[in-house]
Amino acid sequence: MSLRSWVTRWWAGEAGAAGRVLDAALLPAEYLFRGGVALRNRAFDRGLLEVRRVGVPVISIGNIGVGGAGKTPFAAWMAARLVRWGRRPAIALRGYGEDEVLLHRELNPEVPVFAAARRVEAAREAIAGGCDVIVLDDAFQHRRLGRDLDLVLVPVEGWSPAPRVLPRGPWREDLGALARADGVVLTRKTARPARSREVAAELSLLAPGKPVVECYLAPHRLAPLHGGAGVEPGALAGRSVLAVAALATPGAFLENLRLCGAEVEAALFDDHHPFTPGEARAVAARAAGRALVMTHKDAVKLRPLLPDAVEAYVLEQTVTIDRGMEALDAALRGALEGRGR
């Protein structure tokens, strides 16, 4: 078992005696982390740390976990929706890895992307370029840039009513953080709709008065890495594939492939891993005639490194709002009109 897999099991409380020992040892560290996060939030709430406004509506898409909620596809979906409404949005992000910038540019070629160490600077560059609304990707904890709509994504597959916070678990904050959000978007990738409704009911009790939107990040099609007609994900049924993933939480991606009927071997790398030509060749050799399948996030990095002769596909997602679209649109219109600014 890889260290990544063991940590995931440990965070879920499934690592046996060794996990329980590590739990006890890191409990003080978790309390210190929680305390530091609480102090920082209190400083922003009381005006001790400055919140800067940039003069146009700012929509924040974030989460309270370390990954896997679908922030980037949802932020891209939000930007595309704003374009359909006649606005000129920009995506602004911290840019921890080049994959996020490249991915947004592929998902929405008409939407400019700005990355900077400080999101305020990225937003100001966007405004100087003629944009009239800013969509922040992964910004719930980055409070220095004021926002007009703060949406927090919570993955159904990672839901816990008593979350374990870093370093003892995958959550950046506890559920009390939802109090400062304007709405919760519950995302699912492999969970059934009934499970989503169960978690939505729990969240409605834990975050009273907050709209809860249910969103399905659905496998849409298999697109050839180097272009061409795509096929339905079900085309993988009965096939053996090598799944390549540089994700914080690759479990849902791998499970989606299995649900399509594929026999899956995983080649896992650290989140935002910058692939080298040698690693791309090694992955192609490891596939040994099988198809390579990857997420769009990894495709933008591997496409220039893998030759056309390699059979490789991108499992593309589509964002579908199962419940709560009216509430989401009302909150978005309110932000664009300046209510609550």
Side-chain angles (χ1 to χ4, degrees):
M1 179 185 298
S2 69
L3 178 61
R4 177 199 298 271
S5 299
W6 189 89
V7 169
T8 300
R9 291 186 61 231
W10 167 53
W11 276 351
E14 301 171 355
R20 290 192 292 273
V21 170
L22 195 56
D23 280 345
L26 290 180
L27 184 59
E30 179 181 356
Y31 282 132
L32 284 173
F33 186 85
R34 287 175 181 263
V37 169
L39 286 173
R40 180 176 180 274
N41 283 325
R42 193 171 299 122
F44 275 111
D45 294 340
R46 296 181 178 179
L48 301 176
L49 292 177
E50 181 184 10
V51 175
R52 299 178 182 176
R53 296 283 179 176
V54 292
V56 303
V58 174
I59 315 300
S60 170
I61 310 300
N63 72 350
I64 51 179
V66 296
K71 297 182 300 298
T72 294
F74 191 84
W77 176 87
M78 179 66 73
R81 190 163 186 79
L82 289 166
V83 170
R84 291 195 295 272
W85 286 11
R87 304 300 295 244
R88 298 187 303 280
I91 296 287
L93 41 75
R94 172 66 175 80
Y96 294 107
E98 65 170 348
D99 48 5
E100 294 176 331
V101 174
L102 295 172
L103 177 54
H104 274 296
R105 287 174 177 163
E106 285 200 4
L107 291 173
N108 284 314
E110 73 277 25
V111 176
V113 183
F114 297 86
R118 297 181 179 181
R119 286 172 174 79
V120 172
E121 296 172 0
R124 287 173 176 163
E125 288 183 32
I127 295 167
C131 298
D132 64 2
V133 56
I134 309 297
V135 178
L136 303 178
D137 183 349
D138 192 12
F140 188 56
Q141 287 77 29
H142 300 274
R143 298 184 59 184
R144 190 168 298 278
L145 176 56
R147 62 283 315 269
D148 302 274
L149 180 62
D150 221 339
L151 297 176
V152 176
L153 274 57
V154 175
V156 174
E157 294 84 359
W159 167 249
S160 170
R164 293 154 57 100
V165 175
L166 290 167
R168 293 177 67 249
W171 289 59
R172 300 173 182 174
E173 303 183 64
D174 61 27
L175 291 173
L178 297 178
R180 71 174 191 272
D182 297 307
V184 179
V185 178
L186 189 60
T187 61
R188 67 180 178 93
K189 297 177 181 177
T190 59
R192 305 297 298 171
R195 176 57 181 158
S196 179
R197 289 192 291 273
E198 290 174 359
V199 177
E202 291 185 52
L203 278 169
S204 295
L205 295 176
L206 292 168
K210 308 288 183 182
V212 177
V213 178
E214 295 179 52
C215 170
Y216 180 33
L217 300 173
H220 174 55
R221 69 166 187 156
L222 287 168
L225 180 63
H226 293 289
V231 297
E232 294 293 321
L236 293 178
R239 296 196 61 184
S240 178
V241 303
L242 181 64
V244 185
L247 307 170
T249 54
F253 166 59
L254 301 177
E255 182 62 18
N256 268 329
L257 297 181
R258 294 187 182 104
L259 290 173
C260 291
E263 179 183 332
V264 181
E265 180 186 347
L268 302 181
F269 297 81
D270 290 338
D271 196 21
H272 302 296
H273 181 75
F275 291 97
T276 66
E279 288 169 335
R281 288 193 296 271
V283 165
R286 182 175 170 185
R290 295 172 294 172
L292 288 174
V293 186
M294 63 199 72
T295 68
H296 209 149
K297 178 179 176 180
D298 292 317
V300 297
K301 294 178 292 184
L302 284 169
R303 185 178 292 115
L305 302 177
L306 288 170
D308 294 358
V310 175
E311 184 185 8
Y313 298 97
V314 183
L315 183 62
E316 296 184 339
Q317 292 177 319
T318 185
V319 174
T320 301
I321 304 300
D322 289 333
R323 300 176 69 188
M325 177 66 88
E326 290 184 6
L328 179 60
D329 278 351
L332 183 57
R333 290 193 181 95
L336 297 177
E337 294 167 6
R339 293 198 292 268
R341 294 180 65 186

